[in-house]
Amino acid sequence: KRNYLLRVGYLALLLITLMMAYASVGLRSYGGLAQRAQRQAELGVAFFMFFSMFCVFAMGLVGPVLTSTAVGSERLGKTLPVLLMTPIGTWQIITGKLFSRLLAALTLVGLSLPVLALVRLLGGVELDQMVGVICLCTAFAISSAAIGLFFSTMINRAYAVILLSYATQMFFYAFIPFVLIE
C-alpha cells in the first residue's frame, strides 16, 4: 500500500511540476510553422529542466525515507543477531538491504521515462542529455539511500535517521560547495 501511495504522490507532483513548466513557457497557436516548432522546442527544454530538477530533488528526499528502517527494524525485531549468524557476509547484508529498498526509488525513475519521451517528441534536448539526467538521478538516489542506510545502522528511530540524512545531504550538497566557491 505504501508503494502505491509513493508512486501516485510522485507522479502527481511530477505532473504539477510539468504544468508549471508549461505555464512558464506557454504555447501560442499563431505564427508560422517555424515559430511553432521553435516554441515546441522551448517547451521541450523547459519540461526537461523542470523534470531534471524535480527528479534529483525527489530522489534526495525519497532515498533516506526508504532506507531509514532497514537495519533499525531488524534490531527492534531482535532478528539482527540471527541475520548476522547466517553464512551471508556483512557487506552482502548491507548491499542487499540497500538495493532492495532502492528498487522503489528506481521504479519512480522508471515511471518518469514517458516524460522524457514527450520531451524527445517536442525536441530541443539531445538523447545523451536525457541519459545523463537518468544516470544522475540514479546516482543521487543511491547516494541518498546509502546515507540513510548508514544512519539506520546507528540509530533505531526512523524520524531521526531521516532528519540526520537530510542534514548530511545539506552539508555535502549545499554547504561544502558554498564554502569552496571563491
Side-chain angles (χ1 to χ4, degrees), residues 16 43 164 180:
I16 291 170
L43 182 63
L164 199 54
L180 294 179

Side-chain angles (χ1 to χ4, degrees), residues 30-43:
Y30 57 87
L33 186 63
Q35 287 177 338
R36 278 187 274 166
Q38 182 180 3
R39 284 194 298 267
Q40 283 181 347
E42 289 172 3
L43 182 63

Side-chain angles (χ1 to χ4, degrees), residues 39-52:
R39 284 194 298 267
Q40 283 181 347
E42 289 172 3
L43 182 63
V45 169
F47 274 0
F48 183 69
M49 288 186 336
F50 276 73
F51 166 78
S52 302

